Structure formats: structure tokens, C-alpha cells
Amino acid sequence: MDQLAMKKIAAQAALQYVKPDTIVGVGSGSTVNCFIEALGSIKDQIKGAVAASKASEELLKKQGIEVFTTNDVSQLDIYVDGADEINSQKMMIKGGGAALTREKIVAALAKKFICIVDTSKQVDVLGSTFALPIEVIPMARSQVARKLVALGGSPEYREGVITDNGNVILDIYNFEIMQPIEMEKELNNIAGVVTNGIFAQRCADIVIIGTPDGAKIIE
């Protein structure tokens, strides 16, 4: 079974957590695109959605789903998003699509964070297969990069990428994260960092893994 088919299995399984007459938090990325498509099939049962990226917002509108902003809501029942890596503690690395800051903002509004992935995203140690993205204020790029080198990482500027917030991305390679919560806090304390792609302080509550044998749900 190919990766897209497994993503669709996970996305479809997430629909069981969508309650009628609620506003659904929606992340971004290829697996979430599958979820948005699935959400379109029950669009008449929900009030609408809050999107974590402009790209997701456009896809929701194409499905005929009303889009709200984070300032329109005080809380969300669920937030559904993918991950670039996820460990056994339901902690993640996100930001491959450069939407990490908005994803953290929407996730913080949700009572329940549902992470949908295929089997390739599971890791023992965060940072072992995927670079860690950091969103940085442009004028601080070189300064932040030096701090990241001092922490033992190999930062690379993601050329040609501007986030929805007008900032840039540094990807840290060769950076295994043994203490995700502590590292998430430490990186966020560097002047010029908007946020980093470790989702450990707000990890997933439910993980849905698309497999060739169907959806595996970890609660």
C-alpha cells in the first residue's frame, strides 16, 4: 500500500472525533489535505473550521466549509494535524510545510489534539529522520544560526521560503532531541526565534496511524 493510501485511511478515521455543530481546528500538510477532503463529506453537520495555514484555508473554502479565524473562537473541541515525526510519548516535530507557528496557536485552542500520520512518521527519538524547523525573524537569522551551532546543531536556511507570518525558516540537521520539552523551551528563549517545530509541551492526545491493515488508534 502506498503512502497516500495510508494517509487517507488515517484522515478518514479522524472523522469519528468530529462532533456536530462544532468548529474544527485544521492543520496543514499532505495528510491534512486528505482530512479536509473527508471533512467536506460532512460539511453540513459542522459550523466550520479554523485553519492553521493559508493553503488549508483555501482548501476548506473549496470544500464549501466556512472558515473562522482564531480570534473568532475561545476554544476548539478538536484540532486535527499531521506530523513530520512522532515518538511514543505523542510528541512531534512539525513545520515541514513552514506553518509551525500557526499550528501551535490553533493547537493551543483545542481541548483535544488528534495527530494523523502514516507509519513512516514514527520514530524513537525526535530529530532522527527529519530536520527541526525554526521560524525566525529575518533580521535575526544569522544570530540565531550561531546559537543553534553552539547547541550542537547544523542549521540551514530554507531558501525561497517565507512563512504566512512573513518570517524565514532555519532547519536544524544532525540534532537528536533527547529531552523534547526542555529543548522546546530553550530554543524558544533565543532572541529572534518566533517558535520551533517541537510539539512537546502541547503534544497529541490521540494518534491515528494509517497502516495497510487499517487505522491504528492510540489514545
Side-chain angles (χ1 to χ4, degrees), residues 149-161:
V149 170
L151 286 171
S154 303
E156 287 187 17
Y157 170 47
R158 198 186 296 181
E159 290 200 40
V161 173

Side-chain angles (χ1 to χ4, degrees), residues 174-204:
N174 309 315
F175 199 64
E176 290 195 346
I177 301 152
M178 307 309 293
Q179 296 179 300
I181 291 174
E182 290 79 1
M183 185 54 69
E184 182 178 359
K185 291 175 182 176
E186 184 171 354
L187 292 171
N188 282 347
N189 280 333
I190 298 172
V193 169
V194 179
T195 199
N196 69 83
I198 303 172
F199 282 61
Q201 296 181 87
R202 179 60 174 111
C203 60

